[in-house]
Structure formats: C-alpha cells, structure tokens
Amino acid sequence: MTVQYIRYRILHDAAGFEAALGRAVRVLEQAPQCVDYELTRGTDDGTSYVLRITWTSEGHHLRDSGFLAATREFAETVLETPRHYEPTAVRGTGSHQG
C-alpha cells in the first residue's frame, strides 16, 4: 500500500473547490488500484485542505487523468508536491468510545 497526500491552499470559493473535487473523485472511484480517499479541511483558517489517497502501490496513482486539472482552477497554491508514503508498524486506536 502507498498513501498519497496532496495539500491545497484555497483562497477563494472553497465551496466550488469541494464541489469540483467531489466530481473529480469519480476518477478515483473507477480506478481499481485506488483503495480509498479522504479530503480534510483545516479547522484553523479553512483555507488548507489535504487529500489523502490510498493506492495498492506507488506506481498506481493518477498522472494524466484530468483529476488534478479538475481542481486546479481553484488552487492558488498547491502547498507541496504530492508525496507518497507507506504504512509502518506504528498504529493503533485511541480510547474514544463514541
């Protein structure tokens, strides 16, 4: 497994960005190598987003699918180049009973 993180800073039209990304993830949903994905929004200022995509391997990720182009018009700055990570043995659960 490989986990890809794409960081965005959206300075205008956050609702438009989320809507565009909601349409773009159809590409992920149809990719047999995509395990799951999640978009999170920063709670400090609301302009920072992180898209996490889990792939079956690092070689299986979106290169030229139109996925990134679908949201590029909203991204003033992609904070970092997309990076890939692999899980480690350090993991667990918290004590939340909710």
Side-chain angles (χ1 to χ4, degrees):
M1 296 282 192
T2 296
V3 183
Q4 179 181 26
Y5 293 94
I6 305 171
R7 290 168 172 52
Y8 297 94
R9 181 168 306 279
I10 305 302
L11 300 179
H12 67 281
D13 196 10
F17 170 74
E18 290 182 28
L21 195 69
R23 292 185 299 274
V25 295
R26 293 182 188 131
V27 174
L28 297 175
E29 292 166 351
Q30 295 174 2
Q33 304 86 0
C34 179
V35 177
D36 62 11
Y37 61 88
E38 177 183 46
L39 179 68
T40 56
R41 183 177 184 174
T43 58
D44 295 332
D45 65 7
T47 64
S48 299
Y49 287 85
V50 177
L51 176 62
R52 177 196 49 79
I53 309 169
T54 306
W55 298 99
T56 56
S57 69
E58 185 172 339
H60 292 113
H61 61 277
L62 301 175
R63 293 185 192 278
D64 188 26
S65 65
F67 173 79
L68 295 176
T71 58
R72 186 153 296 163
E73 68 181 278
F74 294 98
E76 295 294 330
T77 305
V78 174
L79 299 178
E80 293 182 9
T81 301
R83 305 242 185 241
H84 299 86
Y85 300 84
E86 62 184 21
T88 69
V90 179
R91 65 178 66 199
T93 59
S95 63
H96 180 72
Q97 303 272 326

